[in-house]
């Protein structure tokens, strides 16, 4: 069931668990995540970066594929199709293409321009029944071409943006996209706590979910995080399972080269990873 992310995140915030956002790249990714959400009776958010949207030939293709797949698989759990780190133009394009949720990442602008653009896009999203995420303070590392320095967000600026009526807020708290470096200082729970005190019931979003230790995830949820984004970890397990299949020579046995066989171990690995994360985030059985 394709829906806006608002209700599922408000419920998660009130129930002290988090909904996973898993990024999609193609049909296999989408199918694996939808089937796992259904099996786990968990709400889910499918994340699409602008780069992945382009790769899949455009936001309209993505929206049509997800809508049709959701129907043909008979998915009953709430599913949001969400733009990840959208530009101003990309956000508008996704609203038009039929996404049910968007993120406008205005963190590279100064706070006044971020506020001004976010405000306009909040109005547009809500007029179309779509939920919207905003960002304050950048997430470190690179997400499909979007590079951030990783500075911690200012809680007062978070309140300014939350007050614009956004449905969820991503705030930098020392999190980084991609694999964490050996010398990573960890999440700044002090910052997170200060942000949650200023923003109250606002569902907070933790980007860079790959590789954050389980105890830090639990603490982040206890301090108001209701949405956690995972991308790299699914890519890593997909690549590893595919490599093992080929290195074992299975693509050369019988019809092992058939793409439906060749891509199956990677797809199964994504399913297992998504299930593991849903259990960790506490969203199983919450649909
Ligand atoms: P990872 O790739 O580090 O899991 O981050 C995903 C993310 O935050 C998408 O916005």
């Amino acid at each position: 069931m394709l829906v806006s992310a608002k209700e599922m995140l408000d419920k998660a915030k009130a129930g002290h668990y988090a909904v996973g956002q898993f990024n999609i790249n193609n049909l296999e990714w989408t199918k694996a995540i939808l089937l796992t959400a259904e099996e786990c009776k968990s709400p889910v958010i499918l994340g699409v970066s602008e780069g992945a949207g382009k790769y899949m030939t455009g936001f309209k293709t993505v929206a049509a594929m997800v809508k049709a797949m959701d129907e043909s698989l008979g998915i009953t759990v709430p599913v949001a199709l969400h733009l990840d780190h959208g530009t101003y133009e990309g956000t508008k394009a996704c609203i038009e293409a039929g996404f049910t949720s968007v993120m406008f990442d205005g963190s590279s602008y100064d706070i006044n321009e971020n506020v001004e653009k976010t405000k306009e896009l909040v109005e547009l999203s809500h007029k179309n029944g779509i939920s919207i995420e905003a960002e304050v303070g950048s997430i470190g590392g690179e997400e499909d071409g979007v590079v951030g320095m990783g500075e911690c967000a200012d809680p007062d600026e978070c309140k300014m943006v939350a007050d614009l009526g956004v449905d969820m807020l991503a705030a930098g708290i020392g999190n980084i996209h991609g694999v964490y470096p050996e010398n990573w200082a960890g999440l700044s729970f002090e910052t997170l706590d200060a942000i949650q005190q200023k923003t109250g019931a606002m569902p907070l979003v933790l980007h860079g979910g790959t590789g954050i230790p389980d105890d830090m995830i639990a603490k982040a949820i206890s301090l108001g995080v209701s949405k956690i984004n995972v991308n790299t970890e699914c890519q890593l397990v997909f690549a590893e399972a595919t490599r093992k299949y080929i290195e074992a020579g299975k693509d050369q046995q019988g019809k092992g080269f058939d793409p439906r066989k060749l891509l199956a171990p990677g797809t199964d690995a994504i399913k297992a990873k998504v299930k593991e994360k849903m259990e960790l985030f506490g969203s199983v059985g919450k649909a």
Side-chain angles (χ1 to χ4, degrees), residues 21 23 84-85 143 176-178 207-210 229-233:
Q21 172 191 304
N23 287 47
D84 192 24
H85 294 285
E143 177 64 37
I176 299 171
H177 288 126
H207 282 248
T210 292
N229 293 4
V230 178
N231 184 14
T232 307
E233 244 178 285

Side-chain angles (χ1 to χ4, degrees), residues 182-193:
E182 288 285 328
N183 59 353
W184 178 50
L187 297 175
S188 169
F189 292 115
E190 232 183 10
T191 309
L192 180 58
D193 193 26

